[in-house]
Amino acid sequence: MAALLMLSPAPVIEIPGREVLLDVDFVEGMKLHCQFWPGRVSCVLRRGAVAIPGGKRFSRRRLGFDIVLLDPDEPLPEVLIAEANLVYCSADDARYLNLPQMTNGRLTRLVYTLENAPGLRLASVLGDHQRDVWRRIRSVIWLLRNESALRTALRAADGVQFNGFPAYSAYRRLHRDNLMYLDNRLRTPMLARAVDQQARSDRLRKGAPLMLVHVGPLEQASGVSDLLQAAHLLKLRGVDFRLELFGEGSMAGRLRDGVSALGLGQQMLLRGSVKFDTELVPHLRQKADLLLAPRRQSDPVSIYIEAMGCGVPVLGYANATWRNLKAESGGGWLCRTGSVSALVRTLVRLDGDREAIFRASASALEFARAHTFEHVFARRMTHLRDIARLE
């Protein structure tokens, strides 16, 4: 029987009586792996979590897959590698860059996933102002040393799966057997329907306010503070719009203060966190015209695809992720990263050319249709089975 060993960063808390507290989405994802893999599935998890928001108790006997619990720095037992047909884990976790040495000389195949490009890792360290300068310098030195180990590991693996364009562009030449995918939570039944598209076009053609949304953490890295300035300028220019922000974060209080100080209470609304499938998706399909994505960093953010699948085109900063997605999909517009004035100019233009929004909406939906969760997951699992030589 073919054995798949997954090394996951998902949190776990042990409970007496052979029970564990796990994230529900993680368990559902593992059950899908069990359905697509023709054999036994095991997953290594690391102890150390103290809380799992929204977690649920599960009996280890009834999970449908085996879990192996290790301490945070405990070495991976070689017996686990020896018993597996294929090992599947993230190369973003430096603890697992020695796996090629562990699989060498065995029949075990190794496939890495990777989502962080070098520039993103470096930007994350340099932008972490909670660390002092010397700690950031030491972290940069470690990153540079780790980069060599990462590239060596990717070359020695049997396959690599890249989440998003930046990692794919940076590392794809290191391994011929690679797969680029766009990870997201949007399932096919969630896609915008014809009635949603018609309602959006009817609303805009009648001159209704532009319904703008932002989805993501309310943190400095998301560029959300730029939206406060943009909303103020849009109001000064007489654009009729509503801007809803979905998410929580450290900047929520500052944003609320800014909305009040600038008199934007009729234009901006902080909606907090909502459930993705039952609240956010219906809202995007039925009540949103444009997603604003002023993100400077190029990390693979799933909301681009998720919004496009709801028929909502994207106006975003020209980071590497959105620049490539926009070129592939035609589902939105770019503006210079960090330029609030360019963001506002584009919105003013689109307010006067609403047919352009309809066209981008159709293109966005068509692109997302080919990249739903089911399509992405099936391609990844087929890739794994091919590498394991099971088909």
Side-chain angles (χ1 to χ4, degrees):
M1 180 183 292
L4 171 64
L5 176 65
M6 300 177 62
L7 313 180
S8 172
V12 59
I13 298 176
E14 293 176 271
I15 300 173
R18 287 191 58 79
E19 287 191 325
V20 285
L21 187 70
L22 295 169
D23 178 78
V24 174
D25 289 339
F26 162 74
V27 174
E28 292 301 314
M30 287 301 302
K31 288 180 178 178
L32 278 174
H33 282 91
C34 293
Q35 292 175 19
F36 277 77
W37 182 262
R40 181 167 57 87
V41 177
S42 303
C43 185
V44 172
L45 299 174
R46 299 281 179 172
R47 300 182 181 94
V50 295
I52 304 177
K56 183 179 176 181
R57 294 168 68 123
F58 293 92
S59 167
R60 292 179 64 170
R61 297 185 183 91
R62 299 180 180 177
L63 279 171
F65 56 93
D66 300 327
I67 61 172
V68 179
L69 301 181
L70 301 178
D71 291 332
D73 297 318
E74 184 178 349
L76 191 67
E78 289 200 21
V79 65
L80 294 178
I81 302 297
E83 293 176 348
N85 291 78
L86 187 140
V87 179
Y88 190 38
C89 71
S90 172
D92 292 298
D93 190 334
R95 289 175 298 188
Y96 297 134
L97 297 184
N98 67 331
L99 283 175
Q101 287 83 10
M102 297 182 71
T103 59
N104 187 34
R106 304 181 188 273
L107 296 177
T108 305
R109 302 278 173 164
L110 169 64
V111 176
Y112 281 119
T113 64
L114 188 71
E115 67 175 44
N116 290 326
L120 177 62
R121 286 191 288 269
L122 190 60
S124 297
V125 169
L126 295 177
D128 186 2
H129 296 291
Q130 294 183 352
R131 302 183 186 184
D132 61 40
V133 173
W134 289 111
R135 287 183 65 192
R136 277 182 274 168
I137 290 174
R138 288 195 295 270
S139 295
V140 169
I141 294 172
W142 182 90
L143 280 177
L144 295 176
R145 290 174 176 170
N146 185 68
E147 182 68 15
S148 176
L150 171 62
R151 289 176 173 269
T152 298
L154 293 179
R155 289 190 188 98
D158 296 287
V160 185
Q161 296 185 354
F162 298 106
N163 180 16
F165 291 102
Y168 177 72
S169 298
Y171 297 110
R172 70 179 186 274
R173 293 181 181 85
L174 297 179
H175 206 293
R176 294 176 59 185
D177 198 343
N178 65 64
L179 172 73
M180 197 278 287
Y181 66 95
L182 301 172
D183 194 26
N184 70 92
R185 300 166 289 177
L186 196 74
R187 298 174 183 268
T188 299
M190 299 178 182
L191 291 168
R193 298 167 173 81
V195 64
D196 301 318
Q197 296 294 84
Q198 187 62 50
R200 180 181 292 110
S201 63
D202 290 345
R203 182 177 66 246
L204 285 174
R205 286 191 172 104
K206 291 177 181 177
L210 279 179
M211 302 301 291
L212 312 174
V213 294
H214 173 271
V215 181
L218 303 184
E219 303 290 349
Q220 189 66 40
S222 69
V224 69
S225 60
D226 290 2
L227 297 183
L228 189 64
Q229 303 174 53
H232 179 56
L233 292 174
L234 286 173
K235 182 180 179 182
L236 291 178
R237 296 192 182 194
V239 176
D240 193 5
F241 73 97
R242 303 292 182 271
L243 172 55
E244 296 177 295
L245 277 59
F246 292 89
E248 300 283 357
S250 62
M251 294 194 63
R254 291 174 57 186
L255 289 167
R256 290 191 182 93
D257 292 343
V259 168
S260 176
L262 295 172
L264 294 170
Q266 297 299 314
Q267 287 80 25
M268 286 188 70
L269 177 64
L270 276 66
R271 297 287 300 273
S273 295
V274 298
K275 292 183 178 179
F276 176 75
D277 54 346
T278 59
E279 297 178 78
L280 181 60
V281 167
H283 185 90
L284 292 176
R285 282 170 38 187
Q286 300 165 14
K287 298 181 180 180
D289 300 321
L290 286 170
L291 175 79
L292 301 186
R295 193 169 186 84
R296 289 164 169 77
Q297 294 182 349
S298 297
D299 44 337
V301 180
S302 65
I303 190 59
Y304 293 123
I305 293 288
E306 292 160 356
M308 290 196 291
C310 294
V312 180
V314 179
L315 170 58
Y317 283 163
N319 61 61
T321 293
W322 175 234
R323 189 168 61 246
N324 282 280
L325 264 178
K326 189 267 179 186
E328 292 277 340
S329 69
W333 302 268
L334 295 169
C335 60
R336 183 163 57 86
T337 298
S339 176
V340 177
S341 59
L343 195 70
V344 171
R345 283 196 303 271
T346 305
L347 285 168
V348 171
R349 175 171 59 82
L350 291 173
D351 185 44
D353 182 14
R354 296 186 170 197
E355 295 296 328
I357 298 177
F358 311 149
R359 293 191 296 271
S361 173
S363 297
L365 177 57
E366 188 64 23
F367 181 81
R369 195 183 303 280
H371 295 275
T372 58
F373 174 84
E374 296 96 329
H375 283 83
V376 170
F377 189 83
R379 288 180 60 232
R380 294 177 67 186
M381 292 304 294
T382 298
H383 186 232
L384 294 184
R385 293 196 303 267
D386 288 346
I387 290 175
R389 300 178 181 174
L390 300 182
E391 297 176 351

